[in-house]
Amino acid sequence: MYQYDNFDKQAVRERAADFRDQVERRIAGKLSEDEFKPLRLQNGLYLQLHAYMLRVAIPYGLLSAKQMRKLAHIARTYDKDYGHFTTRQNIQYNWIKLVDAPDILDELASVEMHAIQTSGNCIRNISSAQFAGVAADEVEDPRPWCELIRQWSTFHPEFAFLPRKFKIAVNASPADRVGVKLHDIGITITRNAAGERRFEVYAGGGQGRTPMIGKLMRDDIEAHHLLSYLEAILRVYNRYGRRDNKYKARIKILVHETGEDKFREEVDAEWRKIEGGPVDADIAEFGRIADYFTAPAYDTEAQVDAHKARAAMDPAFAAWVRHNTLAHKVPGYKAVTISLKPHDGIAGDATSDQMDAVADLSENFGFGEIRVTHAQNLVLPDVRDADLPALYDALFAQGLGTANQGLLTDMIVCPGLDYCALANARSIPVSQKIAKRFDDMDRLQDIGEVKLKISGCINACGHHHAGHIGILGVDRKGTENYQILLGGSAEEDTSLAKILGRGFDEDGTVDAIETIIDVYKAQRQDGENFLATYRRIGAEPFKEAVYGG
Amino acid sequence: MVANAHQIDFRDVEPAEWTHCETATQAAQTAFPVLPADELSSYFELNDVNSVALGVRLSPDTEVEALADRLDQIALIEVDFPAYTDGRGYSQARVLREHMGFQGELRAVGDVLIDQLRFMKRCGFDVAVLADHVDPDDAEAALKRYGVWYQPAADDRPPAHRLRRFVQNWEI
């Protein structure tokens, strides 16, 4: 993975020192909370319902064992012994004291981490596929490109005060594992007919209160023009994006109101002025970055299917292998998803001990590398088949062995009203009630793949628009109420879920989900998953079952 | 000009007694007027002009490209930041400097706070006039704190990736 050089180290140290100075001025009363707010937001520090929340950047979801141990240490020392992994592949600490925040940034800087641009109206952490570099289907490893974009966007002097936040995701497989069309900019790295590298750039996608699917801007961007093309989009957005209404300020509204074709022309006009100019990093810099992402020393003798003997006699282990491991590009290896969705837990949360355990396991069964997924799970990318039984046992002992990756209880859940100052309803309790109702592995496996996503308000941090089943918490006359949506997808077949009908209270929501699953089971054909059945039969049968004829 | 306003100079600029004017006719009789951009065409239609040098004040929605024909007759451009959160002025500055070749003085005014200065410097501003309540010593100190930049902008400062080629320190 990428290693900081002296420039990178200096950059995060400077930021940490700057923030220490700002916090001292705040505590000394030289800065009001209003004046301090923009400064703390540039460092990922939010004031939530009960305390400060610190969001730490995990660039494209990639962590070393050493970094994971530091995250555990921070949780243990400065928070309540746990952290929350987010849909942007970051980690949040929910109970931070302001006076500790500068020390935490210093701790992070010591392991090449920071909280820069994890909040505020700027270019946020670049997200990417959790299986980057190991998936058999990718055309190349997207992470060096993510790192190139990370550096370009860090402290970008022109784009620190955009109309609204700006999220970029990079994918490099035919299978979309990042939600390319649901980001402000989504990038797919491809090969053209001649086998040359090209970047497909989508703009104007997003969720929130006005969900929109991103539009293809160009499919022919060459490597040495990538940064100038991104800069052109950002400049047009910075100049013309709406600033009169924060709910209409994302680039999706600009693209929509300008019109896809006209917006593309405006970007092209700007791009022609800067393409090939100073912003287009020389390819030598890309080579320098790419050298950090060379393949580790895989065991060429790794025995394929060495876990099969255990699987034959242990159905629970077999189910875990089936659901939580992915074919690796190297024979005899698997990429393993560690579920952070135990049926009695909180989606995305991990304790300090669990983080330390995962760090150890990443070294014992891999090359000391860990990924955070947008579905709020963790990944060990390089596990030998022969090591899967020992890894499973170790995870199980830590409460990390739930075999539900991609199944109904592998829910994306926002923090909701238990933590968040923006939320209208709690997300966690309803997710826990659903997990309890479906707490039966045989039943879950029979139901198969369902992406259930829960947001506690219209801002859609829980991605309810993109769920096969989405749940949106609203406040209805002072009581929590949940609307159910069906038919969304954040993958290559991107679609937006549609509201089924009137909402329910918490228990009513759990009942309705069960009814919806029953309809699917009765109607499914030939191994269809939930989404395929929904797309074939439409919403009506579900409506009838949930609301009566 | 704003009395007693503290300003941060990123580059040495020629001092002048600039005066804000609301109308073109008023500006024409002023030695160093600063005129709103939308008065500019009226100003250039006047015959009786006694100004020594001309300044223009932009609002965030001014299309800077509209100044192209007159740019060589403008000595000062003030870019207004009505709120620090409105970042349009950064793009206006870069377009003026990098696309349009503006060589005159570029000045940031309005809600100019400490954390914005380093960005303004990089986007081609010569001067930033601090908002009233900002402590100039704190501002100078904060400005000195940042030495690493990752991207080229309007200030000719080499980005980290270009410096790396000279210092060869990336094998750590």
Side-chain angles (χ1 to χ4, degrees):
Chain A
M1 61 188 281
Y2 185 70
Q3 307 278 312
Y4 278 16
D5 70 358
N6 289 341
F7 290 100
D8 304 305
K9 286 178 183 173
Q10 189 186 336
V12 296
R13 283 195 199 121
E14 284 168 355
R15 171 49 73 98
D18 201 26
F19 189 59
R20 181 175 295 279
D21 174 66
Q22 290 159 359
V23 169
E24 280 167 10
R25 283 191 281 137
R26 172 72 188 105
I27 290 171
K30 288 182 78 177
L31 287 174
S32 69
E33 179 54 33
D34 276 354
E35 289 169 327
F36 180 59
K37 185 179 174 187
L39 307 176
R40 65 171 165 76
L41 283 180
Q42 302 250 339
N43 290 288
L45 196 63
Y46 287 79
L47 190 55
Q48 289 290 22
L49 282 180
H50 311 293
Y52 281 105
M53 181 271 275
L54 179 69
R55 184 181 293 147
V56 175
I58 302 176
Y60 33 96
L62 182 57
L63 281 173
S64 68
K66 185 180 172 190
Q67 290 173 327
M68 184 63 107
R69 289 193 186 99
K70 181 61 80 175
L71 295 179
H73 169 75
I74 289 170
R76 194 174 282 127
T77 309
Y78 302 100
D79 204 286
K80 296 189 179 180
D81 214 25
Y82 68 96
H84 176 75
F85 290 97
T86 78
T87 60
R88 294 281 305 156
Q89 302 174 294
N90 293 320
I91 186 170
Q92 292 176 179
Y93 295 105
N94 286 307
W95 306 97
I96 294 298
K97 292 191 190 74
L98 178 59
V99 67
D100 289 335
D103 292 340
I104 298 173
L105 292 197
D106 282 345
E107 298 250 22
L108 291 169
S110 74
V111 293
E112 307 182 4
M113 296 185 80
H114 58 76
I116 296 162
Q117 288 170 216
T118 56
S119 59
N121 293 336
C122 54
I123 302 173
R124 300 289 189 87
N125 185 30
I126 312 302
S127 60
S128 191
Q130 70 270 36
F131 301 120
V134 301
D137 64 345
E138 71 183 9
V139 300
E140 68 177 294
D141 187 344
R143 292 171 300 170
W145 298 103
C146 294
E147 178 58 26
L148 189 75
I149 298 168
R150 182 192 77 81
Q151 295 194 19
W152 162 77
S153 61
T154 297
F155 302 141
H156 198 294
E158 187 180 349
F159 306 134
F161 299 95
L162 296 166
R164 201 75 179 83
K165 58 188 169 184
F166 204 93
K167 299 174 180 178
I168 300 176
V170 184
N171 194 50
S173 304
D176 181 356
R177 299 191 183 97
V178 309
V180 165
K181 292 175 210 161
L182 293 173
H183 281 78
D184 296 286
I185 290 180
I187 298 169
T188 304
I189 308 173
T190 63
R191 296 289 179 266
N192 67 10
E196 300 157 323
R197 174 194 288 134
R198 289 292 182 272
F199 294 80
E200 291 176 0
V201 181
Y202 293 80
Q207 301 185 57
R209 56 185 68 203
T210 317
M212 288 189 186
I213 293 175
K215 310 292 187 294
L216 180 62
M217 291 288 110
R218 297 191 72 105
D219 62 5
D220 60 350
I221 299 296
E222 297 177 54
H224 57 286
H225 287 154
L226 177 64
L227 293 183
S228 61
Y229 192 67
L230 296 182
E231 189 147 305
I233 294 176
L234 264 297
R235 183 167 294 153
V236 171
Y237 170 56
N238 189 42
R239 294 184 71 181
Y240 303 112
R242 285 181 63 172
R243 292 175 187 267
D244 59 324
N245 180 340
K246 74 179 275 197
Y247 302 119
K248 296 186 174 177
R250 295 287 288 268
I251 193 176
K252 61 193 172 188
I253 304 293
L254 178 67
V255 174
H256 179 72
E257 291 183 351
T258 308
E260 177 186 337
D261 292 332
K262 185 155 183 290
F263 181 80
R264 184 183 299 108
E265 284 167 25
E266 288 179 8
V267 170
D268 278 350
E270 178 59 39
W271 182 44
R272 277 193 291 273
K273 295 175 189 166
I274 57 176
E275 63 169 313
V279 64
D280 280 323
D282 44 285
I283 214 70
E285 172 64 4
F286 176 72
R288 184 190 76 88
I289 292 171
D291 281 350
Y292 288 112
F293 294 93
T294 49
Y298 288 113
D299 175 6
T300 52
E301 314 274 292
Q303 197 193 332
V304 176
D305 289 344
H307 60 289
K308 288 278 183 179
R310 166 82 178 266
M313 54 181 215
D314 181 349
F317 171 74
W320 178 79
V321 171
R322 187 159 58 247
H323 296 293
N324 289 43
T325 71
L326 179 84
H328 197 288
K329 68 182 181 187
V330 177
Y333 279 84
K334 298 255 186 312
V336 172
T337 299
I338 300 172
S339 171
L340 295 182
K341 317 292 174 64
H343 291 171
D344 55 352
I346 293 174
D349 278 10
T351 65
S352 308
D353 287 348
Q354 286 177 327
M355 289 187 241
D356 276 337
V358 170
D360 291 346
L361 293 170
S362 78
E363 289 174 334
N364 296 343
F365 304 114
F367 302 95
E369 212 181 275
I370 302 143
R371 318 288 180 84
V372 182
T373 82
H374 84 274
Q376 304 180 281
N377 292 314
L378 301 175
V379 164
L380 297 184
D382 302 301
V383 181
R384 289 185 306 181
D385 289 0
D387 291 331
L388 289 171
L391 173 62
Y392 173 72
D393 292 338
L395 288 172
F396 199 84
Q398 288 289 337
L400 295 168
T402 315
N404 61 350
Q405 197 278 132
L407 301 179
L408 182 70
T409 53
D410 183 14
M411 295 172 252
I412 289 178
V413 186
C414 79
L417 197 54
D418 287 300
Y419 295 99
C420 179
L422 299 174
N424 298 125
R426 291 171 300 159
S427 305
I428 294 168
V430 70
S431 75
Q432 290 175 323
K433 282 186 176 174
I434 293 169
K436 197 172 170 198
R437 179 72 63 91
F438 288 91
D439 183 23
D440 175 339
M441 286 312 299
D442 291 337
R443 187 179 177 201
L444 284 173
Q445 288 180 55
D446 173 53
I447 295 165
E449 184 192 39
V450 185
K451 308 265 179 172
L452 177 55
K453 306 186 181 186
I454 307 176
S455 306
C457 79
I458 199 165
N459 292 307
C461 297
H463 296 182
H464 63 272
H465 299 298
H468 298 177
I469 301 174
I471 296 177
L472 166 63
V474 296
D475 175 273
R476 212 184 59 175
K477 295 173 192 160
T479 57
E480 291 166 311
N481 192 265
Y482 298 90
Q483 294 179 343
I484 296 174
L485 302 85
L486 298 181
S489 168
E491 298 178 13
E492 56 276 15
D493 57 351
T494 309
S495 60
L496 299 173
K498 292 194 174 69
I499 289 181
L500 193 65
R502 67 178 160 77
F504 301 93
D505 64 12
E506 211 170 83
D507 291 328
T509 304
V510 181
D511 291 339
I513 298 296
E514 192 164 35
T515 304
I516 287 163
I517 293 298
D518 288 343
V519 172
Y520 156 66
K521 282 171 67 179
Q523 298 265 6
R524 66 182 166 188
Q525 297 176 355
D526 313 325
E528 280 177 335
N529 74 358
F530 178 88
L531 185 62
T533 298
Y534 171 83
R535 284 176 173 168
R536 179 172 53 78
I537 68 176
E540 275 314 310
F542 295 96
K543 262 186 206 167
E544 278 172 30
V546 170
Y547 299 107
Chain B
M1 286 305 303
V2 188
N4 301 322
H6 287 287
Q7 69 177 50
I8 303 287
D9 292 354
F10 304 128
R11 283 197 298 184
D12 289 336
V13 291
E14 204 65 36
E17 291 294 315
W18 294 102
T19 306
H20 282 120
C21 299
E22 292 306 313
T23 66
T25 46
Q26 190 191 345
Q29 302 310 319
T30 304
F32 294 94
V34 182
L35 192 62
D38 53 11
E39 285 288 307
L40 211 54
S41 51
S42 314
Y43 178 88
F44 285 112
E45 282 165 14
L46 297 173
N47 293 318
D48 182 22
V49 172
N50 294 305
S51 308
V52 178
L54 175 64
V56 176
R57 183 172 192 141
L58 309 186
S59 61
D61 56 2
T62 304
E63 282 290 308
V64 287
E65 286 83 352
L67 305 177
D69 293 345
R70 299 292 186 182
L71 210 56
D72 54 354
Q73 297 169 67
I74 298 172
L76 166 77
I77 296 180
E78 279 190 356
V79 176
D80 184 27
F81 292 81
Y84 75 87
T85 48
D86 188 335
R88 285 177 285 184
Y90 300 101
S91 289
Q92 287 176 320
R94 288 197 69 183
V95 169
L96 280 165
R97 286 287 193 229
E98 295 172 66
H99 293 355
M100 301 171 68
F102 178 64
Q103 299 287 325
E105 181 183 335
L106 205 50
R107 182 183 283 257
V109 301
D111 193 20
V112 176
L113 310 179
I114 288 177
D115 209 50
Q116 284 71 58
L117 296 173
R118 59 209 180 91
F119 299 135
M120 289 170 173
K121 183 180 182 182
R122 297 226 57 218
C123 286
F125 286 97
D126 301 302
V127 171
V129 181
L130 297 175
D132 288 342
H133 60 283
V134 176
D135 182 334
D137 293 335
D138 287 345
E140 294 279 6
L143 197 54
K144 289 198 186 90
R145 205 166 285 134
Y146 286 88
V148 176
W149 294 97
Y150 284 107
Q151 57 297 98
D155 60 348
D156 297 331
R157 212 192 148 96
H161 70 79
R162 218 169 291 157
L163 293 171
R164 281 172 172 138
R165 251 184 277 161
F166 298 104
V167 294
Q168 302 286 327
N169 74 339
W170 57 77
E171 288 173 13
I172 49 174

